[in-house]
DNA sequence: TGATAACTTTCCAGATTGGAAAGTTTGCAA
DNA sequence: TTGCAAACTTTCCAATCTGGAAAGTTATCA
């Protein structure tokens, strides 16, 4: 059996969740933060890490006066996430033959 | 979208790989160690953690004189792994609608 | 009585993660 | 134009987590 190999940057629970959310659609900073239940600082740091890897794009937009931050996956981010998911799928296949 | 929540003990890359291997069948310590490419000490520690959680069973058996250690998932371990995989599948579904 | 295989433990260093608190930037209100 | 608040961003720090090296165990074989 071939053992899956993961992208550590994406695999970390917090960032995997962030990518999962962003894979569906662009989302606001606050929405993501509340979805994964972390502090501002933690999300900010995860986003920075993903941004530096070229996986996430940050867009600052004025929304009713106040500035809001929108997050989205870049093409490279989608590619990396999909590749990671493919590895997870291999693992899922192995597990799906299990009797519980 | 509901965000997946993971079992940290199982989610760590090394242990996720160990569980994936053991989900297929009982395996020898050395085989698992070589599959995931870690040192004896590291595998030993992961196994201990999984054993203490009741997820993995350790069986010592004499094989041609020398003693060998066999690892397998316990029913609780299978259950936890399958539940974790179910969370991953939810994530996979989200991602599978992605265009790359 | 060693010597060796096959782990297990201990020791330690480096990376990660998380929250708190301080800092920054921008858009009003006064 | 000064002050204040919102919405992040950075810095600081403590707690884990990982990983390998090396020492320790236990059982078997020469």
């Amino acid at each position: 059996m071939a053992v899956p190999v993961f992208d550590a940057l994406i695999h970390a629970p917090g960032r995997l969740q962030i990518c999962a959310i962003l894979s569906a659609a662009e989302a606001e900073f606050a929405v993501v933060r509340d979805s994964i239940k972390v502090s501002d600082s933690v999300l900010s740091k995860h986003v920075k890490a993903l941004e530096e890897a070229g996986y996430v794009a940050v867009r600052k937009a004025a929304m009713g006066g106040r500035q809001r931050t929108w997050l989205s996956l870049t093409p490279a981010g989608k590619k990396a996430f999909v590749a990671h998911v493919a590895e997870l799928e291999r693992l899922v296949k192995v597990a799906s033959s299990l009797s519980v």
Side-chain angles (χ1 to χ4, degrees), chain A:
Chain A
M1 184 224 135
V3 177
V5 178
F6 303 114
D7 181 331
L9 185 64
I10 290 184
H11 193 70
R15 290 191 297 268
L16 187 56
Q17 295 180 322
I18 292 170
C19 289
I21 293 171
L22 299 184
S23 72
E26 187 180 37
E28 263 184 64
F29 185 95
V31 170
V32 175
R33 179 199 60 205
D34 296 343
S35 296
I36 68 175
K37 298 187 177 55
V38 292
S39 62
D40 286 348
S41 66
V42 169
L43 177 57
S44 186
K45 281 181 281 190
H46 279 322
V47 168
K48 190 182 177 191
L50 291 167
E51 194 183 4
E52 284 175 351
Y55 288 176
V56 161
V58 175
R59 183 167 68 83
K60 307 277 187 179
M63 271 277 290
R66 298 262 118 243
Q67 174 181 277
R68 295 297 171 83
T69 299
W70 291 82
L71 308 174
S72 60
L73 282 187
T74 62
K78 279 190 185 181
K79 192 172 171 184
F81 182 61
V82 167
H84 191 85
V85 164
E87 285 296 280
L88 292 178
E89 277 184 321
R90 286 178 43 207
L91 189 144
V92 166
K93 270 178 207 148
V94 168
S96 62
S97 60
L98 271 186
S99 57
V100 192

